[in-house]
Amino acid sequence: MAAASERNVRAESKQAAGVNSPADATPDTSGKDFIRARIERDRAAGRYGGRVETRFPPEPNGYLHVGHVKAIVLNFGLADEYRGVTHLRFDDTNPLTEETGYVESIKQDIHWIGYDWGDRIHFASDYFERLYDWAVFLIRKGVAYVCHLTEEQIREYRGTVKQPGRPSPWRDRPVEESLREFERMRRGEYADGEATLRAKIDIAAPNMKMRDPLMYRVRHASHHNTGDRWCIYPMYDWAHGQSDAIEGITHSLCTLEFENNRELYDWFTEQLELVDPPKQYEFARLNLNYTVMSKRKLLEMIRNGIVSGWDDPRLPTIRGMRRRGYTPEALRTFVERVGVSKANSIVDVGMLEWAIREDLNYRAPRRMAVLDPLKVTITNYPEGESELLDAVNNPEDESAGTREVPFSRELFIERADFMEDPPRKFYRLAPGREVRLRYAYFLTCDEVVKNEAGEIAELRCTYDPATRGGDAPDGRKPKATLHWVSAAHAISGEVRLYDRLFQVENPLAARYRDDFMQTLNPDSLQVLRDARLEPSLAEMEPGEICQFERKGYFCMDPDTEPDAPVFNRTVTLRDTWARIQKKRK
Ligand code: ATP
Ligand code: MG
C-alpha cells in the first residue's frame, strides 16, 4: 500500500525532527479547546507517531465563505502549531453539482487567506478505483450488498427515529450475487435509481445513519475529473473517511451536523481493518447574524440578481469580503477569536466588523472625501489663490508621515454637516457658528444661499487666517471639526455604502423558511455618484484601502476605471449598529 508506506516514512522523519520528543509527553492541556486537547493527548500517547495531519475538504460547488475561513484557519492553523501538514482535498463525489471553475477559485481564496497546501492537493475522485476495490472487499466480507429498492422505498424501509426499519428484500442475497450486480452497476447496466450498494449494518440501529446506509448510487453523468469513466458514484460517508485514510489524515475535523456520521466513519475503517485509522471530530459551524452562508442560498440570490455575483461586497464570501476591503489578517483574527466549540451559536457580525476596524486602524492611511457635497465659498479668501496644508496620514502610525492637501476659496463639505436650524445637540456648522476645518482653518457660516426650489445650494462663509493648521492663538476651540475638499482640486468618484443584506438576525429562522428573501434589506446598497475626493486619491490603486475621515474605511473597487474611481465602504468607523441595539434594549 503505497500511501501507507509513504505515511510511515513521513512519520519517521517527523520523529527524527524531534516532534515526538519526551518533552511533549506530558502536555499541559489547560485552556486548550477540545480539539487541541485531543491532539496533545494523542501525541503524548505516541499515536500516529506524533504526527498531526489535517485536511480542508471543500466541495467544488461554489465559492468559499467566512464559515470556510473558520475551517481553513482551524485545519491549517493546527498543522502549523503541531508542525504537521494540511491537505487540500476536493470532495468531488457528486458529478451533478461540481464545476472546475470553482476548483481554481477555491485555491486562490485559500492562498489569499494566507495558507498553502504545498503538493498535497487531492481529489476524492482520484480514489474512485481504490474505493471500488474496498467496496468489493466489504461485499466479499458479507457486510455490503446490492439493493434494488427505489429511493423512496429505501426511505420507507428505513423506519423512523421511533420505529426500527425493515430489511431490504436483497439484504441477504448471496455474496457472489452482490459481487456480480455491483460489477453490472459499474458497467452501466442499470439506470439511475435502479441499484445501490449498501452497507449491511443494522436496520434497527438507534442511529439512523447506521441503518444500512448507501455506499454507491448509479448516476449516468459526466464528472469534471473522471469524465465518463464512472456511472456509479460513492456517497459522502463512504468516500470521506476512506479518503482521509488513504492520505494518512490523523484528525479529520468537520462540523457538528456530521456528529451522527461518526459512528459510520469508524465502522468503515474498522471493517476495512485499517491500522491507525483517522478519527473524526466535530466542531460548531460559524454562523453570523444578518446573513446567510449556505452556498445554495448564495447561488439563489446571485441567480435572482439580488446581488451582483459571488464577489458582491455584501456577501459573506471570501471574494465579496475581499472586494469590500476585509483583510486576511482581520478575518484570521476574527475566526480565532470566535474559537472552537462544541455548541452551535450565532456570532454577531459586529464582532467581525470590530476585527476589521482593529486591523485597518493601524494600516489604513487617512484621506478626506466628501460623499454628499455642499458648496462653501469663503468670501474673505483671495480669489484665484490656493495653498497647500499638511495633513497627517495616520495618527496611529507616525512613520506614515504627512501629505499636502490643497485649500482654496471654494470648498465642499458634507451636506449633513450643516443645519440651518440646528437642534440642541447638533454641534456642526450652522448660521453664525464657527467650526474647525480639519488640518486647515476655523470657518464661520455667514449666509445660506438657496435655489429656486428652496434647497440649500451654497454656504457663504469667512475663515480666520490666524488659525492655519487648526489652532487659534487665543485658544478658542470649536465644538466640531469637519472634513472638506477644495472644489477646484477635488476629483470626482463613486462611493458605495453597504448595509446588512438582511433585516433580521436569522433569515433562515423557521418563520421565514419558505422564503428567506422576504427578509432582504432593500437599502443594503446605497450608491453616491457625486463624491468629491482629495486629489491624492488619484494615486491609489484598486484593492487598496484607506480611511475617509469621519466616514469609514473604504476600498478602491478592483473594477475602477483610471478616471472614475469607485470606492466600497468596508466598514464604518464606529459601531453605530451596536449603539442602536443598546438603545433599543
Ligand atoms: P455550505 O453548507 O455553506 O454550502 P458546505 O459545508 O457544504 O457549506 P463544504 O465545501 O462541504 O461546504 O465545506 C468544506 C469544509 O468547510 C467542511 O469541512 C465544512 O465542515 C467546513 N465548513 C463549511 N461551512 C462552515 C461553517 N459555517 N463553519 C465552519 N466550517 C464550515
Ligand atoms: Mg457540503
Side-chain angles (χ1 to χ4, degrees):
M1 198 162 117
S5 59
E6 201 183 301
R7 227 188 301 162
N8 290 338
V9 170
R10 272 183 287 161
E12 272 159 28
S13 63
K14 292 260 173 60
Q15 271 170 343
V19 170
N20 202 25
S21 66
D24 292 342
T26 50
D28 171 21
T29 57
S30 62
K32 298 257 156 79
D33 60 63
F34 72 98
I35 291 173
R36 285 172 172 84
R38 176 63 202 225
I39 288 178
E40 303 209 347
R41 243 186 297 142
D42 284 347
R43 277 157 52 90
R47 193 142 187 222
Y48 307 113
R51 214 160 39 87
V52 174
E53 207 146 333
T54 59
R55 86 287 169 270
F56 174 65
E59 194 180 337
N61 62 349
Y63 284 74
L64 301 181
H65 52 60
V66 65
H68 294 113
V69 176
K70 174 167 180 174
I72 291 168
V73 171
L74 179 60
N75 280 295
F76 283 91
L78 284 172
D80 284 350
E81 259 170 83
Y82 296 102
R83 282 171 281 176
V85 292
T86 303
H87 301 216
L88 169 59
R89 183 192 321 133
F90 289 97
D91 173 15
D92 58 350
T93 51
N94 183 355
L96 301 180
T97 57
E98 287 139 15
E99 284 174 37
T100 340
Y102 292 129
V103 169
E104 282 315 306
S105 69
I106 288 171
K107 283 156 67 175
Q108 289 165 7
D109 285 354
I110 299 171
H111 273 149
W112 183 75
I113 292 294
Y115 295 104
D116 186 52
W117 49 88
D119 57 0
R120 293 168 296 276
I121 175 165
H122 307 286
F123 291 83
S125 56
D126 291 340
Y127 310 136
F128 281 174
E129 197 66 51
R130 167 72 78 79
L131 291 170
Y132 183 85
D133 291 344
W134 267 342
V136 168
F137 177 80
L138 295 189
I139 299 172
R140 287 227 163 86
K141 214 173 157 174
V143 294
Y145 62 96
V146 172
C147 175
H148 302 282
L149 292 179
T150 62
E151 212 180 305
E152 202 176 317
Q153 287 170 323
I154 289 176
R155 214 176 305 125
E156 185 202 320
Y157 275 61
R158 191 178 281 139
T160 64
V161 190
K162 289 187 189 126
Q163 277 178 333
R166 284 183 287 146
S168 154
W170 284 278
R171 191 170 204 265
D172 289 317
R173 75 197 309 180
V175 164
E176 289 309 319
E177 205 178 291
S178 272
L179 283 172
R180 234 174 13 246
E181 291 298 314
F182 190 44
E183 173 71 39
R184 291 183 63 199
M185 280 170 67
R186 177 181 186 165
R187 280 207 305 262
E189 294 180 23
Y190 286 107
D192 290 9
E194 284 183 348
T196 55
L197 182 72
R198 300 177 67 179
K200 190 170 172 179
I201 308 179
D202 178 1
I203 202 65
N207 180 354
M208 299 286 286
K209 298 273 178 202
M210 301 299 277
R211 294 188 184 176
D212 288 15
L214 261 54
M215 293 170 64
Y216 279 92
R217 70 207 148 162
V218 177
R219 276 263 189 291
H220 289 272
S222 270
H223 184 279
H224 80 102
N225 194 16
T226 58
D228 293 322
R229 219 165 331 139
W230 294 89
C231 61
I232 56 171
Y233 290 94
M235 304 299 290
Y236 170 87
D237 286 305
W238 170 240
H240 203 87
Q242 287 28 267
S243 302
D244 285 343
I246 290 166
E247 292 174 19
I249 301 304
T250 57
H251 300 80
S252 180
L253 312 176
C254 64
T255 39
L256 278 181
E257 67 273 22
F258 291 97
E259 202 163 6
N260 289 337
N261 303 56
R262 190 190 334 129
E263 196 179 349
L264 181 54
Y265 186 104
D266 289 339
W267 188 88
F268 281 134
T269 58
E270 196 186 315
Q271 292 299 325
L272 290 172
E273 298 159 34
L274 302 179
V275 180
D276 249 0
K279 290 283 176 187
Q280 175 186 302
Y281 304 92
E282 310 88 25
F283 62 94
R285 342 168 46 88
L286 172 67
N287 297 303
L288 277 183
N289 56 8
Y290 300 101
T291 191
V292 296
M293 268 189 237
S294 139
K295 281 175 281 193
R296 215 172 322 123
K297 301 275 187 318
L298 296 175
L299 200 54
E300 205 177 320
M301 287 192 285
I302 293 164
R303 292 211 171 118
N304 281 298
I306 307 287
V307 292
S308 61
W310 285 103
D311 64 348
D312 189 297
R314 289 168 290 179
L315 292 184
T317 53
I318 294 181
R319 293 286 155 121
M321 295 188 295
R322 177 178 180 176
R323 183 161 181 184
R324 184 158 174 168
Y326 288 12
T327 61
E329 291 82 1
L331 288 171
R332 292 201 303 261
T333 304
F334 167 66
V335 297
E336 276 164 9
R337 284 284 172 113
V338 170
V340 186
S341 106
K342 267 273 181 202
N344 270 321
S345 65
I346 298 183
V347 174
D348 194 316
V349 66
M351 185 173 163
L352 171 58
E353 291 171 351
W354 168 85
I356 306 295
R357 280 190 202 101
E358 279 285 298
D359 185 41
L360 295 182
N361 184 29
Y362 290 100
R363 59 159 90 196
R366 275 53 169 173
R367 295 291 182 261
M368 291 198 286
V370 174
L371 308 192
D372 183 13
L374 172 61
K375 192 175 160 190
V376 167
T377 301
I378 306 174
T379 51
N380 61 340
Y381 197 90
E383 252 170 277
E385 277 188 32
S386 70
E387 64 190 296
L388 291 171
L389 299 165
D390 282 338
V392 173
N393 282 331
N394 188 348
E396 302 288 338
D397 175 10
E398 215 176 305
S399 72
T402 59
R403 66 187 186 285
E404 289 180 324
V405 189
F407 185 87
S408 66
R409 183 178 156 93
E410 290 184 350
L411 311 176
F412 287 112
I413 63 165
E414 215 61 73
R415 196 162 273 278
D417 281 339
F418 175 80
M419 278 187 100
E420 197 173 8
D421 187 14
R424 241 162 41 85
K425 291 212 164 167
F426 185 88
Y427 298 119
R428 291 167 271 167
L429 199 59
R433 188 180 290 172
E434 184 175 62
V435 295
R436 177 192 286 118
L437 294 177
R438 186 93 159 126
Y439 307 121
Y441 296 96
F442 290 4
L443 182 85
T444 303
C445 175
D446 305 316
E447 189 189 340
V448 182
V449 182
K450 295 194 177 165
N451 63 17
E452 282 130 45
E455 298 154 344
I456 300 171
E458 183 189 332
L459 303 179
R460 298 182 65 82
C461 304
T462 43
Y463 84 122
D464 179 355
T467 56
R468 194 173 199 269
D471 285 309
D474 63 5
R476 73 183 194 276
K477 287 200 183 349
K479 282 209 169 123
T481 300
L482 309 186
H483 62 278
W484 52 273
V485 293
S486 164
H489 303 88
I491 50 177
S492 293
E494 178 176 313
V495 167
R496 300 174 186 162
L497 306 180
Y498 299 100
D499 198 353
R500 285 161 175 67
L501 196 46
F502 292 92
Q503 289 172 300
V504 299
E505 286 212 42
N506 182 9
L508 302 181
R511 66 193 135 130
Y512 316 118
R513 184 144 293 159
D514 294 343
D515 182 17
F516 73 100
M517 291 215 236
Q518 64 173 293
T519 67
L520 280 164
N521 174 5
D523 302 317
S524 60
L525 170 62
Q526 192 190 349
V527 181
L528 302 170
R529 296 209 162 76
D530 189 29
R532 306 300 170 99
L533 319 164
E534 73 165 69
S536 73
L537 285 163
E539 282 144 43
M540 216 165 132
E541 296 286 336
E544 278 190 84
I545 302 165
C546 68
Q547 182 192 106
F548 289 168
E549 296 216 13
R550 300 175 64 227
K551 286 290 156 190
Y553 294 98
F554 288 78
C555 178
M556 191 185 254
D557 194 82
D559 295 339
T560 282
E561 301 288 332
D563 297 331
V566 174
F567 286 90
N568 297 320
R569 179 151 70 187
T570 309
V571 65
T572 55
L573 287 182
R574 240 168 286 132
D575 196 350
T576 44
W577 188 260
R579 271 200 328 231
I580 290 165
Q581 296 287 86
K582 220 192 246 164
K583 255 193 218 155
R584 257 191 224 156
K585 277 177 197 161

Short mmCIF file of all heavy atoms in Angstrom, two decimals, residues 55-59 61 64-65 67-68 70-71 91 253-255 257-258 283-287 293-296, ligand 1:
data_model
loop_
_atom_site.label_atom_id
_atom_site.label_comp_id
_atom_site.label_asym_id
_atom_site.label_seq_id
_atom_site.Cartn_x
_atom_site.Cartn_y
_atom_site.Cartn_z
N ARG A 55 -6.93 18.05 6.97
CA ARG A 55 -7.29 18.36 5.59
C ARG A 55 -8.43 19.37 5.59
O ARG A 55 -9.22 19.42 6.53
CB ARG A 55 -7.68 17.10 4.79
CG ARG A 55 -9.11 16.66 4.92
CD ARG A 55 -9.42 16.05 6.25
NE ARG A 55 -10.84 15.87 6.46
CZ ARG A 55 -11.63 16.78 7.02
NH1 ARG A 55 -11.15 17.93 7.44
NH2 ARG A 55 -12.93 16.55 7.15
N PHE A 56 -8.46 20.17 4.54
CA PHE A 56 -9.61 21.03 4.30
C PHE A 56 -10.32 20.48 3.08
O PHE A 56 -9.72 20.40 2.01
CB PHE A 56 -9.17 22.48 4.09
CG PHE A 56 -10.32 23.38 3.71
CD1 PHE A 56 -11.35 23.60 4.62
CD2 PHE A 56 -10.38 23.98 2.47
CE1 PHE A 56 -12.44 24.41 4.27
CE2 PHE A 56 -11.46 24.78 2.11
CZ PHE A 56 -12.48 24.99 3.01
N PRO A 57 -11.57 20.03 3.24
CA PRO A 57 -12.23 19.27 2.16
C PRO A 57 -13.41 19.96 1.48
O PRO A 57 -14.55 19.52 1.62
CB PRO A 57 -12.74 18.05 2.94
CG PRO A 57 -13.14 18.63 4.28
CD PRO A 57 -12.30 19.87 4.50
N PRO A 58 -13.19 21.04 0.76
CA PRO A 58 -14.34 21.71 0.13
C PRO A 58 -14.96 20.90 -1.00
O PRO A 58 -14.25 20.19 -1.73
CB PRO A 58 -13.73 23.00 -0.42
CG PRO A 58 -12.30 22.64 -0.70
CD PRO A 58 -11.92 21.69 0.40
N GLU A 59 -16.24 21.08 -1.13
CA GLU A 59 -16.93 20.52 -2.28
C GLU A 59 -16.88 21.62 -3.35
O GLU A 59 -17.29 22.75 -3.07
CB GLU A 59 -18.38 20.23 -1.89
CG GLU A 59 -19.11 19.37 -2.87
CD GLU A 59 -20.55 19.11 -2.44
OE1 GLU A 59 -20.87 19.23 -1.24
OE2 GLU A 59 -21.36 18.81 -3.32
N ASN A 61 -18.48 23.23 -5.40
CA ASN A 61 -19.80 23.58 -5.95
C ASN A 61 -20.17 25.03 -5.65
O ASN A 61 -21.33 25.40 -5.67
CB ASN A 61 -20.87 22.63 -5.40
CG ASN A 61 -21.00 22.73 -3.89
OD1 ASN A 61 -20.19 23.35 -3.24
ND2 ASN A 61 -22.03 22.12 -3.35
N LEU A 64 -15.99 29.97 -1.57
CA LEU A 64 -15.85 29.84 -0.12
C LEU A 64 -16.40 31.07 0.59
O LEU A 64 -16.36 32.17 0.07
CB LEU A 64 -14.38 29.65 0.24
CG LEU A 64 -13.68 28.44 -0.37
CD1 LEU A 64 -12.23 28.38 0.10
CD2 LEU A 64 -14.41 27.15 -0.02
N HIS A 65 -16.88 30.84 1.81
CA HIS A 65 -17.41 31.95 2.62
C HIS A 65 -16.72 32.00 3.97
O HIS A 65 -15.83 31.18 4.26
CB HIS A 65 -18.93 31.84 2.74
CG HIS A 65 -19.43 30.50 3.21
ND1 HIS A 65 -19.08 29.96 4.43
CD2 HIS A 65 -20.25 29.58 2.62
CE1 HIS A 65 -19.67 28.80 4.59
NE2 HIS A 65 -20.38 28.53 3.50
N GLY A 67 -17.56 31.08 6.81
CA GLY A 67 -17.61 29.81 7.56
C GLY A 67 -16.44 28.92 7.18
O GLY A 67 -15.81 28.29 8.03
N HIS A 68 -16.14 28.90 5.88
CA HIS A 68 -14.99 28.11 5.43
C HIS A 68 -13.69 28.68 5.99
O HIS A 68 -12.76 27.94 6.24
CB HIS A 68 -14.93 28.07 3.91
CG HIS A 68 -16.08 27.34 3.28
ND1 HIS A 68 -17.03 27.96 2.51
CD2 HIS A 68 -16.45 26.03 3.34
CE1 HIS A 68 -17.92 27.07 2.10
NE2 HIS A 68 -17.60 25.89 2.59
N LYS A 70 -13.22 29.75 8.83
CA LYS A 70 -13.03 29.13 10.14
C LYS A 70 -12.41 27.74 9.99
O LYS A 70 -11.47 27.39 10.70
CB LYS A 70 -14.37 29.04 10.88
CG LYS A 70 -14.24 28.28 12.18
CD LYS A 70 -15.43 28.44 13.08
CE LYS A 70 -15.21 27.66 14.36
NZ LYS A 70 -16.28 27.87 15.34
N ALA A 71 -12.95 26.95 9.07
CA ALA A 71 -12.43 25.60 8.87
C ALA A 71 -10.99 25.63 8.34
O ALA A 71 -10.15 24.82 8.72
CB ALA A 71 -13.34 24.82 7.92
N ASP A 91 -13.71 17.51 -2.40
CA ASP A 91 -14.67 16.45 -2.16
C ASP A 91 -15.63 16.44 -3.36
O ASP A 91 -16.72 16.99 -3.31
CB ASP A 91 -15.39 16.76 -0.84
CG ASP A 91 -16.53 15.81 -0.59
OD1 ASP A 91 -16.60 14.76 -1.25
OD2 ASP A 91 -17.37 16.13 0.28
N LEU A 253 -11.45 16.94 10.85
CA LEU A 253 -12.34 17.88 11.54
C LEU A 253 -13.51 18.27 10.65
O LEU A 253 -13.31 18.67 9.51
CB LEU A 253 -11.55 19.12 11.92
CG LEU A 253 -10.20 18.84 12.60
CD1 LEU A 253 -9.46 20.14 12.86
CD2 LEU A 253 -10.41 18.07 13.89
N CYS A 254 -14.68 18.15 11.19
CA CYS A 254 -15.85 18.58 10.43
C CYS A 254 -16.84 19.25 11.35
O CYS A 254 -16.62 19.33 12.55
CB CYS A 254 -16.46 17.40 9.70
SG CYS A 254 -17.09 16.18 10.82
N THR A 255 -17.92 19.72 10.78
CA THR A 255 -18.88 20.48 11.58
C THR A 255 -19.90 19.55 12.24
O THR A 255 -20.08 18.41 11.84
CB THR A 255 -19.53 21.57 10.72
OG1 THR A 255 -19.77 21.05 9.42
CG2 THR A 255 -18.61 22.77 10.60
N GLU A 257 -22.98 18.94 12.32
CA GLU A 257 -24.07 18.18 11.71
C GLU A 257 -23.62 16.78 11.27
O GLU A 257 -24.44 15.95 10.91
CB GLU A 257 -24.73 18.96 10.57
CG GLU A 257 -23.87 19.22 9.35
CD GLU A 257 -23.02 20.47 9.45
OE1 GLU A 257 -22.75 20.94 10.57
OE2 GLU A 257 -22.59 20.97 8.40
N PHE A 258 -22.32 16.53 11.35
CA PHE A 258 -21.82 15.20 11.00
C PHE A 258 -21.59 14.31 12.22
O PHE A 258 -21.02 13.22 12.10
CB PHE A 258 -20.52 15.31 10.18
CG PHE A 258 -20.73 15.89 8.82
CD1 PHE A 258 -20.52 17.23 8.57
CD2 PHE A 258 -21.20 15.08 7.78
CE1 PHE A 258 -20.75 17.77 7.32
CE2 PHE A 258 -21.42 15.60 6.53
CZ PHE A 258 -21.20 16.95 6.29
N PHE A 283 -16.83 20.14 15.28
CA PHE A 283 -16.87 21.46 15.96
C PHE A 283 -18.07 22.24 15.42
O PHE A 283 -18.61 21.93 14.37
CB PHE A 283 -15.57 22.23 15.72
CG PHE A 283 -15.29 22.55 14.28
CD1 PHE A 283 -15.66 23.76 13.73
CD2 PHE A 283 -14.67 21.62 13.45
CE1 PHE A 283 -15.42 24.06 12.39
CE2 PHE A 283 -14.42 21.90 12.10
CZ PHE A 283 -14.80 23.12 11.58
N ALA A 284 -18.44 23.27 16.17
CA ALA A 284 -19.61 24.08 15.79
C ALA A 284 -19.30 24.92 14.56
O ALA A 284 -18.23 25.52 14.47
CB ALA A 284 -20.01 24.98 16.94
N ARG A 285 -20.25 24.96 13.62
CA ARG A 285 -20.04 25.83 12.46
C ARG A 285 -20.10 27.28 12.90
O ARG A 285 -20.70 27.61 13.90
CB ARG A 285 -21.08 25.71 11.37
CG ARG A 285 -21.96 24.61 11.24
CD ARG A 285 -23.12 24.76 10.27
NE ARG A 285 -22.87 25.30 8.98
CZ ARG A 285 -22.50 24.58 7.93
NH1 ARG A 285 -22.29 23.30 8.03
NH2 ARG A 285 -22.34 25.14 6.76
N LEU A 286 -19.49 28.09 12.10
CA LEU A 286 -19.59 29.52 12.31
C LEU A 286 -20.87 30.01 11.65
O LEU A 286 -21.10 29.74 10.47
CB LEU A 286 -18.38 30.23 11.69
CG LEU A 286 -18.44 31.74 11.68
CD1 LEU A 286 -18.38 32.30 13.08
CD2 LEU A 286 -17.30 32.31 10.85
N ASN A 287 -21.70 30.67 12.43
CA ASN A 287 -22.89 31.32 11.88
C ASN A 287 -22.80 32.79 12.21
O ASN A 287 -22.37 33.15 13.30
CB ASN A 287 -24.16 30.76 12.53
CG ASN A 287 -24.33 29.28 12.24
OD1 ASN A 287 -24.38 28.87 11.08
ND2 ASN A 287 -24.39 28.48 13.29
N MET A 293 -25.17 31.78 4.74
CA MET A 293 -23.88 31.28 4.28
C MET A 293 -23.97 30.10 3.34
O MET A 293 -23.02 29.79 2.66
CB MET A 293 -23.04 30.90 5.47
CG MET A 293 -22.18 32.03 5.94
SD MET A 293 -21.06 31.42 7.15
CE MET A 293 -21.45 32.48 8.49
N SER A 294 -25.09 29.43 3.36
CA SER A 294 -25.16 28.23 2.53
C SER A 294 -24.95 28.59 1.07
O SER A 294 -25.50 29.55 0.55
CB SER A 294 -26.53 27.58 2.74
OG SER A 294 -27.02 27.11 1.51
N LYS A 295 -24.10 27.79 0.42
CA LYS A 295 -23.78 28.06 -0.96
C LYS A 295 -25.04 28.05 -1.84
O LYS A 295 -25.15 28.82 -2.78
CB LYS A 295 -22.79 27.03 -1.48
CG LYS A 295 -21.37 27.33 -1.05
CD LYS A 295 -20.41 26.23 -1.46
CE LYS A 295 -20.49 25.05 -0.52
NZ LYS A 295 -19.38 24.09 -0.69
N ARG A 296 -25.95 27.17 -1.48
CA ARG A 296 -27.18 27.08 -2.28
C ARG A 296 -27.97 28.40 -2.19
O ARG A 296 -28.48 28.91 -3.17
CB ARG A 296 -28.03 25.90 -1.81
CG ARG A 296 -28.75 25.25 -2.97
CD ARG A 296 -29.47 23.95 -2.57
NE ARG A 296 -28.72 23.16 -1.61
CZ ARG A 296 -29.20 22.79 -0.42
NH1 ARG A 296 -30.40 23.15 -0.03
NH2 ARG A 296 -28.47 22.05 0.39
P1 ATP B 1 -22.41 25.20 2.80
O1 ATP B 1 -23.38 24.36 3.58
O2 ATP B 1 -22.25 26.56 3.32
O3 ATP B 1 -22.69 25.18 1.36
P2 ATP B 1 -20.63 23.06 2.98
O4 ATP B 1 -20.49 22.52 4.34
O5 ATP B 1 -21.47 22.33 2.02
O6 ATP B 1 -21.02 24.56 3.05
P3 ATP B 1 -18.11 22.23 2.03
O7 ATP B 1 -17.46 22.64 0.77
O8 ATP B 1 -18.64 20.86 2.12
O9 ATP B 1 -19.24 23.28 2.32
O10 ATP B 1 -17.19 22.56 3.27
C1 ATP B 1 -15.81 22.38 3.34
C2 ATP B 1 -15.40 22.39 4.77
O11 ATP B 1 -15.74 23.62 5.39
C3 ATP B 1 -16.10 21.31 5.58
O12 ATP B 1 -15.18 20.70 6.42
C4 ATP B 1 -17.15 22.06 6.34
O13 ATP B 1 -17.45 21.43 7.54
C5 ATP B 1 -16.48 23.40 6.55
N1 ATP B 1 -17.48 24.44 6.73
C6 ATP B 1 -18.47 24.78 5.88
N2 ATP B 1 -19.24 25.74 6.40
C7 ATP B 1 -18.73 26.05 7.61
C8 ATP B 1 -19.08 26.95 8.65
N3 ATP B 1 -20.13 27.75 8.54
N4 ATP B 1 -18.32 26.97 9.77
C9 ATP B 1 -17.25 26.18 9.89
N5 ATP B 1 -16.87 25.29 8.96
C10 ATP B 1 -17.59 25.21 7.83
#
